[in-house]
Amino acid sequence: MLPSYPSLTFPNHFTIVTGLYPEHHGLVANSFYDETKQARYAISDAKAVSDGSWYSGTPLWSLAESQGMRTACLFWPGSEATIAGYQPTYYVRFDSKTEATDAVQQARIDNAVALLKLPEADRPHFITIYYSEPDHEGHSFGPDAPETRAAELKMDGMVGKLKTALDATGLPIDLVVVSDHGMVKVEGGWI
């Protein structure tokens, strides 16, 4: 995968949903200081993350909402902010500290299916779901580590469960699976 630069989670997630590079959508890192605003943005700062003034461009959920389509974002970075005048109809705040247990992962699938079972007038027609694996393992152990491979296999199983659950709804659904950035093994020192 060729990520946008910097190849970090928040900038790339916002690139995916806006089609813009970080220098155009405003999230130039997971944490940064903005001289113009005289303020700091950090993914660990709920107040900053939910402040729509940090985000430029229009994410897909805001575009859909502006056209009268209901959307849902389950842990997608930035979705808790009002951006371009809109928020998703349904959202769960992004929390990098949410433990990625099997129960939590299954709950995201169950939440998406529950939303799809709502009456047609209330049902979202665009849903994003974020899982932090194998990102966390890759950062902690490296892309070629057995821990990362185990996380990849676990997520492969979760995507299979998600696909099965979506198919069971009987609705015409396009499932798109993306990665926020790639990884390479660090070779040698910084210099």
Side-chain angles (χ1 to χ4, degrees):
M1 177 192 177
L2 297 174
S4 62
Y5 181 82
S7 60
L8 300 168
T9 296
F10 266 48
N12 276 273
H13 269 86
F14 215 61
T15 290
I16 290 167
V17 296
T18 63
L20 300 173
Y21 288 114
E23 66 268 20
H24 296 293
H25 64 55
L27 293 186
V28 295
N30 286 340
S31 177
F32 58 92
Y33 182 78
D34 184 300
E35 295 244 355
T36 304
K37 290 177 100 136
Q38 297 287 301
R40 183 166 197 71
Y41 179 94
I43 62 174
S44 59
D45 180 354
K47 185 177 177 186
V49 170
S50 61
D51 177 357
S53 70
W54 286 101
Y55 308 91
S56 297
T58 304
L60 290 172
W61 60 79
S62 292
L63 179 61
E65 292 281 346
S66 75
Q67 299 302 306
M69 181 185 292
R70 284 175 182 68
T71 64
C73 296
L74 307 176
F75 292 96
W76 197 272
S79 61
E80 56 265 61
T82 299
I83 303 170
Y86 295 91
Q87 277 187 287
T89 305
Y90 310 98
Y91 67 93
V92 178
R93 290 183 181 275
F94 174 79
D95 182 359
S96 62
K97 295 174 182 68
T98 300
E99 210 171 307
T101 63
D102 289 345
V104 168
Q105 292 175 342
Q106 184 62 49
R108 292 181 193 168
I109 293 172
D110 295 343
N111 288 343
V113 170
L115 289 168
L116 292 170
K117 289 182 176 179
L118 290 172
E120 188 173 354
D122 299 326
R123 182 184 313 146
H125 292 269
F126 175 80
I127 301 173
T128 62
I129 302 174
Y130 171 70
Y131 288 105
S132 60
E133 294 82 16
D135 183 77
H136 287 175
E137 290 79 7
H139 283 293
S140 297
F141 305 106
D144 302 325
E147 295 89 346
T148 306
R149 180 67 178 150
E152 291 166 356
L153 292 171
K154 180 179 172 183
M155 287 315 304
D156 184 64
M158 290 306 295
V159 171
K161 288 178 182 180
L162 174 62
K163 175 78 169 106
T164 299
L166 295 176
D167 288 348
T169 67
L171 296 170
I173 296 172
D174 295 316
L175 175 62
V176 179
V177 179
V178 297
S179 173
D180 59 339
H181 59 79
M183 289 189 181
V184 295
K185 182 180 175 186
V186 175
E187 301 285 344
W190 286 98
I191 298 174

